[in-house]
C-alpha cells in the first residue's frame, strides 16, 4: 500500500496557511478586531481561563473593543489579564463592561508589526516545506518497495511541488496583504 496521499498533503499544507491567517488576524492594525483578545488569559475561580470563557468581546466601533464580563466579581481579573497580555490597550471600566480604545500605531510599531507578519509567513512556509519533504520521502520509499514506478514517482513529485508552490504563494499573499494593511492605516 503506497504511503503517498495527495489529499492529505494538500490538507496539511492548507492547515499551515490557515494557521498563518489566524496568526495574522491577531496582529493589531489601527482597527478594532475581536481576535486581538484571543490570547488573553484571566485568573478567575482559582484557575487561568481564556477571556472568551468569562466575557463577551465585541467591536461596537471601528476603533473600540468592548468586553462584557459575565460575573461582576471577575471584572478586576479580566482587567489584569488584558494588562498582562502586553497589547498596549488601556481598559476603561464601566460597571461590568470594559471599553478598550485602540491607540494610534506609531510608525516604528507599524514596522515592527509588518516584520512580525513576515516572520509568521516564514514559519508557515517552513511548515509547508516540511510537508513536502515528508511527501518526497514517502514517494522514494514507495518506489524502493516497488509499489510505484520511477516514472510515477517523478510525476507525483511534480504534483507535490505544484502543491507546495501554490501554498507558499498563498502564505506570501496573506502576509503581503497584512503588511500592506498595517503600513497603510
Amino acid at each position: 500500500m503506497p504511503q503517498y496521499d495527495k489529499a492529505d498533503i494538500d490538507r496539511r499544507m492548507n492547515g499551515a496557511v490557515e494557521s498563518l491567517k489566524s496568526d495574522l488576524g491577531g496582529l493589531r492594525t489601527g482597527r478594532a478586531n475581536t481576535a486581538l483578545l484571543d490570547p488573553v488569559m484571566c485568573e478567575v475561580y482559582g484557575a487561568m481561563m481564556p477571556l472568551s470563557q468569562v466575557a463577551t468581546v465585541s467591536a461596537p466601533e471601528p476603533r473600540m473593543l468592548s468586553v462584557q464580563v459575565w460575573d461582576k466579581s471577575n471584572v478586576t481579573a479580566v482587567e489584569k489579564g488584558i494588562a498582562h497580555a502586553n497589547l498596549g490597550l488601556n481598559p476603561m471600566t464601566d460597571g461590568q463592561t470594559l471599553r478598550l480604545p485602540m491607540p494610534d500605531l506609531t510608525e516604528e510599531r507599524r514596522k515592527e508589526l509588518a516584520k512580525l507578519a513576515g516572520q509568521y509567513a516564514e514559519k508557515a512556509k517552513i511548515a509547508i516545506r516540511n510537508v513536502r519533504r515528508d511527501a518526497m520521502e514517502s514517494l522514494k520509499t514507495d518506489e524502493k518497495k516497488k509499489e510505484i514506478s520511477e516514472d510515477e514517482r517523478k510525476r507525483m513529485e511534480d504534483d507535490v511541488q505544484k502543491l507546495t508552490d501554490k501554498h507558499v504563494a498563498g502564505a506570501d499573499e496573506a502576509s503581503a496583504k497584512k503588511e500592506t494593511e498595517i503600513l497603510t492605516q
Side-chain angles (χ1 to χ4, degrees):
M1 180 75 195
Q3 295 177 338
Y4 173 77
D5 179 359
K6 185 177 177 180
D8 182 54
I9 292 164
D10 189 39
R11 181 188 56 75
R12 287 170 56 199
M13 288 181 176
N14 198 38
V17 175
E18 290 305 313
S19 176
L20 168 67
K21 288 178 180 174
S22 170
D23 289 346
L24 291 175
L27 282 182
R28 188 160 71 84
T29 58
R31 280 191 216 98
N33 181 349
T34 57
L36 181 63
L37 296 179
D38 286 349
V40 174
M41 299 293 282
C42 307
E43 189 174 339
V44 291
Y45 309 120
M48 293 303 283
M49 296 176 83
L51 179 65
S52 60
Q53 292 184 5
V54 293
T56 304
V57 180
S58 60
E61 300 170 32
R63 298 184 54 81
M64 174 83 69
L65 283 175
S66 174
V67 179
Q68 179 69 44
V69 184
W70 300 328
D71 184 346
K72 194 174 182 101
S73 66
N74 293 333
V75 173
T76 310
V78 169
E79 262 184 294
K80 279 184 186 171
I82 292 169
H84 287 297
N86 279 339
L87 298 171
L89 300 174
N90 296 322
M92 295 185 299
T93 310
D94 180 16
Q96 284 180 240
T97 304
L98 300 177
R99 281 199 291 280
L100 305 165
M102 294 285 122
D104 288 331
L105 292 173
T106 63
E107 191 60 34
E108 185 180 320
R109 181 72 177 136
R110 286 180 197 280
K111 287 179 180 163
E112 282 175 29
L113 289 171
K115 192 173 168 185
L116 191 58
Q119 290 171 356
Y120 285 169
E122 194 51 44
K123 281 184 193 166
K125 291 192 278 190
I126 288 169
I128 291 166
R129 289 195 284 272
N130 286 340
V131 172
R132 182 189 78 197
R133 186 194 64 229
D134 293 346
M136 296 296 195
E137 285 174 6
S138 72
L139 286 172
K140 287 176 183 155
T141 303
D142 289 348
E143 184 188 4
K144 282 180 188 167
K145 290 181 185 172
K146 304 274 190 250
E147 292 177 354
I148 60 172
S149 68
E150 184 180 351
D151 289 344
E152 282 179 299
R153 177 183 58 84
K154 286 182 178 173
R155 183 182 50 76
M156 290 175 178
E157 282 179 350
D158 286 346
D159 287 348
V160 170
Q161 188 57 51
K162 285 177 187 162
L163 279 175
T164 303
D165 294 343
K166 178 182 104 177
H167 288 94
V168 164
D172 284 338
E173 183 184 320
S175 171
K177 184 177 168 193
K178 187 65 174 188
E179 286 178 32
T180 304
E181 188 181 317
I182 290 168
L183 294 172
T184 59
Q185 283 292 315

